[in-house]
Amino acid sequence: MRGAKSAKWAACAIVVALSATACGGGSKSGSDDNAAVDPNGVFSYYNTEPQNPLIPTNTNEVGGHYMLTNLFRGLVTFDIKNKLMMSNAQSVDSADNQHFDVKLKPGWKFHNDETVTASSYVDAWNWAANVKNAQLNSSWFEDIAGYGDVHPDKGDPKGDKMSGLKVVNDNEFTIDLSHPVSTFKDRLFYDAFFPLPKAFYKDPKGFGEHPIGNGPYKMDGSWEHKVQLKVRKFDGYKGDDKPKNGGIDFKFYSKDDAAYADLLSDKVDIMYQVPNSEVGKYQDDLGDRSVSQPFGGNTNIAFPLYNDEWKKPEKVKVRQGLSMAIDRDTIAKTALKKSKEAATGLTPPGIEGYQPGACGDFCKFDPAKAKDLIKQGGGVPGNKLVITYNADGANKEWVDAVCNDIRQNAGVECVTDPKATFQESRQLITDKKLSNPFRMAWVMDFPNIANFISEQYRTGVGANDMGFSDTGADDLMKKADESKSIDEANKTYFEAEKKILQEQMPSIPLFVDHTVAGWSKRVKNVKFDYQRQAIWTDVEVKK
């Protein structure tokens, strides 16, 4: 899933680095960069209804993440060049990537005026790791020593604290891992590692409806489900990225074309992904109030390998054959109007550790080979492929195009299964109730190949929606984590990526995604980072 926190990437920084599509449109909108601004002005933002209550360790989809990333700040962040920076932490030190000493910046407060301390982190992580609390993101803590005691594979936990976490004083704690993890400091960027106030433990359910964070914005009023959620500037925020505006109204839409109509009429101020149906003309509509740039995300088709039919060993060939029946380049250029690029693996360009061609020949368009592989694998179960996706996002065009290719080039009947909302489709996926393939998209949690491989394809991790498991791939990922250098780790993760795709293909890589965004005449200084998020604190509202 997932998205950015307080990162400060400028709108075209990575576009230039990747020599990708141009940034922005023409000057038709006549935006006024010199217009006076209201430092307390509120702007609105297109979003989808979150799947779950807003608890950091139980949110692993974009709708909820966009709220949490405004309400909370963690220990670290990244700068415009993807360099690791401290946020709530003064320092995170380790000599061996296994034993870490964390010191906090003093004086940080939660929105209820409670002081953020070392215990705010340690208690939150222990609670999240505890198997009894059944958190979607609990696997993010599995490298910490003692995780198995609080999160056993079977039975009740032996205790409620991981041995690898120790509070030294109010502003310092230590982390001991069960083995070295070369990217552990990078991983601390993810939502699961946010701190929690004491009020959380008194009423977790109530907290999920009205979270209390330590970030630049605090909740305003109640969460109006399927309508909106409002956040307002937190005057007590101690971070460097203090808001240049008064707050954000997140508006939830079930149809992206309705959101786009509101954008054109200035009823919603920022839309991070315009509908595919409008990609051909949105720059004419918005002029220099638009942007197109790559980001750290991808779009795939995933398979339910927990299903008796799809988990059969011979179905690997069917999945690989289906992949070769898809003409990614043509779909990207025509149906998607260059808003995406053809993928050759699971990791997007621009991500540390990326290498092209992880998929090998299986992501190359070859109808004859596609038919042969599908035949070798005994055909598609039921001789009919169904692809589930959420209809409230920019998905219909590419799903229809992919199905058309499969019908025409593989001779396999293919139909689409649109669900009305992202929330509905995600619930089916996380509950593992689907017997057919489904849309699976990923937005980086931290800018490294490990995030695109380990958090989705390691056995048992929270975002492994496919139920995929491969001992050889797990071993390679463990070897990568224990590498002495990031470069060495990246090379081993690429070997794991190749093994996963060329031997199992639990998901079919389709596209590298772009941010195709626009904003209203009411706002200026709108920039998007490499996680498709507006840098909310920098947005200015015109008077």
Side-chain angles (χ1 to χ4, degrees):
M1 151 280 39
R2 288 111 164 187
K5 318 295 181 280
S6 57
K8 300 177 181 177
W9 289 272
C12 279
I14 304 211
V15 180
V16 174
L18 296 178
S19 300
T21 54
C23 181
S27 57
K28 186 175 179 179
S29 70
S31 63
D32 182 7
D33 288 339
N34 296 317
V37 300
D38 178 2
N40 294 312
V42 174
F43 66 94
S44 55
Y45 199 86
Y46 158 81
N47 202 17
T48 56
E49 171 79 8
Q51 178 187 359
N52 295 316
L54 296 176
I55 297 173
T57 49
N58 209 44
T59 298
N60 66 358
E61 45 75 35
V62 171
H65 163 76
Y66 280 178
M67 259 66 74
L68 291 173
T69 195
N70 283 281
L71 296 167
F72 289 86
R73 284 292 181 265
L75 296 170
V76 302
T77 186
F78 288 90
D79 72 4
I80 193 170
K81 296 181 180 179
N82 284 354
K83 179 183 177 183
L84 191 70
M85 304 280 288
M86 296 298 107
S87 184
N88 191 185
Q90 183 71 45
S91 60
V92 180
D93 295 324
S94 177
D96 58 4
N97 290 328
Q98 184 170 2
H99 306 285
F100 295 82
D101 183 69
V102 180
K103 293 180 180 178
L104 302 180
K105 295 174 182 175
W108 278 53
K109 298 280 188 178
F110 286 105
H111 300 152
N112 62 355
D113 203 41
E114 177 186 329
T115 300
V116 180
T117 68
S119 295
S120 305
Y121 285 93
V122 170
D123 292 348
W125 299 0
N126 278 322
W127 186 90
N130 194 312
V131 68
K132 289 186 175 181
N133 296 320
Q135 296 295 284
L136 288 173
N137 294 328
S138 60
S139 60
W140 280 80
F141 305 98
E142 68 180 355
D143 295 315
I144 298 175
Y147 175 80
D149 291 334
V150 301
H151 199 108
D153 292 335
K154 295 180 180 179
D156 293 331
K158 296 178 181 178
D160 58 3
K161 293 180 176 61
M162 290 181 281
S163 59
L165 297 177
K166 302 290 184 185
V167 172
V168 177
N169 55 53
D170 280 353
N171 291 315
E172 184 177 1
F173 67 99
T174 59
I175 308 168
D176 292 333
L177 307 183
S178 56
H179 58 97
V181 178
S182 57
T183 58
F184 187 75
K185 284 204 289 189
D186 293 35
R187 294 168 190 258
L188 294 173
F189 182 49
Y190 184 48
D191 299 15
F193 295 100
F194 287 155
L196 291 173
K198 295 176 183 176
F200 168 78
Y201 307 99
K202 296 177 182 178
D203 182 12
K205 184 177 180 180
F207 184 95
E209 290 295 314
H210 199 291
I212 301 166
N214 65 331
Y217 298 97
K218 62 181 180 180
M219 269 197 69
D220 180 53
S222 300
W223 177 355
E224 299 176 62
H225 287 280
K226 299 185 179 180
V227 178
Q228 65 180 355
L229 184 145
K230 299 178 179 181
V231 300
R232 295 295 180 263
K233 177 169 57 179
F234 174 45
D235 291 333
Y237 178 57
K238 298 296 183 181
D240 295 332
D241 56 331
K242 292 179 173 59
K244 297 177 181 179
N245 52 70
I248 311 163
D249 292 345
F250 288 95
K251 293 187 175 181
F252 307 136
Y253 288 87
S254 59
K255 295 183 178 180
D256 58 358
D257 55 350
Y260 187 72
D262 279 358
L263 178 67
L264 294 181
S265 58
D266 296 326
K267 293 179 181 178
V268 66
D269 292 312
I270 300 177
M271 189 172 187
Y272 65 83
Q273 197 74 24
V274 306
N276 283 329
S277 59
E278 306 296 338
V279 167
K281 68 184 187 71
Y282 81 106
Q283 289 181 322
D284 289 333
D285 289 341
L286 299 168
D288 57 5
R289 292 183 288 112
S290 63
V291 67
S292 175
Q293 65 186 63
F295 74 93
N298 59 28
T299 295
N300 309 319
I301 295 175
F303 291 81
L305 302 185
Y306 49 83
N307 174 267
D308 288 341
E309 287 296 320
W310 280 114
K311 72 181 180 183
K312 292 178 178 178
E314 64 268 23
K315 296 307 173 188
V316 171
K317 293 184 180 295
V318 175
R319 295 192 289 273
Q320 292 170 337
L322 292 170
S323 176
M324 298 187 78
I326 301 167
D327 187 352
R328 295 162 177 78
D329 284 316
T330 298
I331 293 174
K333 292 173 183 176
T334 57
L336 300 179
K337 301 178 178 66
K338 299 182 181 180
S339 64
K340 299 180 188 291
E341 300 171 33
T344 64
L346 299 168
T347 307
I351 296 296
E352 183 180 53
Y354 163 79
Q355 291 187 52
C359 196
D361 290 340
F362 297 119
C363 284
K364 295 178 181 178
F365 181 51
D366 188 336
K369 184 66 173 177
K371 291 177 181 178
D372 183 51
L373 283 169
I374 292 169
K375 183 178 179 180
Q376 289 181 43
V380 171
N383 201 34
K384 182 179 180 180
L385 195 74
V386 179
I387 303 176
T388 296
Y389 71 97
N390 58 296
D392 57 349
N395 299 309
K396 184 179 188 302
E397 286 77 9
W398 73 258
V399 179
D400 286 348
V402 165
C403 250
N404 285 336
D405 269 12
I406 289 171
R407 280 194 296 269
Q408 294 173 12
N409 302 320
V412 174
E413 177 58 22
C414 183
V415 297
T416 65
D417 175 34
K419 302 302 179 185
T421 66
F422 183 62
Q423 183 183 38
E424 180 184 358
S425 65
R426 282 302 306 166
Q427 204 61 55
L428 289 169
I429 292 167
T430 55
D431 290 346
K432 292 185 168 50
K433 291 184 177 179
L434 292 176
S435 58
N436 56 273
F438 50 89
R439 167 197 176 261
M440 185 171 73
W442 190 259
V443 181
M444 70 177 189
D445 304 307
F446 57 91
N448 182 274
I449 184 175
N451 185 237
F452 286 85
I453 310 303
S454 180
E455 313 317 332
Q456 285 185 296
Y457 298 93
R458 194 189 296 262
T459 300
V461 294
N464 187 337
D465 296 327
M466 303 148 287
F468 172 69
S469 179
D470 183 276
T471 301
D474 287 345
D475 289 344
L476 281 171
M477 287 184 262
K478 186 174 186 294
K479 179 182 176 182
D481 287 344
E482 296 178 354
S483 299
K484 293 182 179 180
S485 71
I486 291 291
D487 286 344
E488 183 182 337
N490 292 342
K491 292 176 182 177
T492 307
Y493 262 113
F494 181 65
E495 292 302 313
E497 182 179 8
K498 288 196 298 183
K499 181 178 180 62
I500 289 165
L501 290 175
Q502 296 183 29
E503 295 183 14
Q504 298 292 335
M505 193 164 276
S507 66
I508 295 175
L510 292 177
F511 307 108
V512 174
D513 292 344
H514 284 200
T515 298
V516 182
W519 52 95
S520 77
K521 297 173 184 176
R522 296 184 61 251
V523 293
K524 68 175 191 175
N525 199 32
V526 179
K527 303 183 292 290
F528 290 86
D529 62 28
Y530 203 47
Q531 293 173 305
R532 197 178 59 177
Q533 293 183 176
I535 302 175
W536 289 286
T537 54
D538 279 356
V539 174
E540 295 175 309
V541 181
K542 299 176 186 178
K543 285 186 177 179

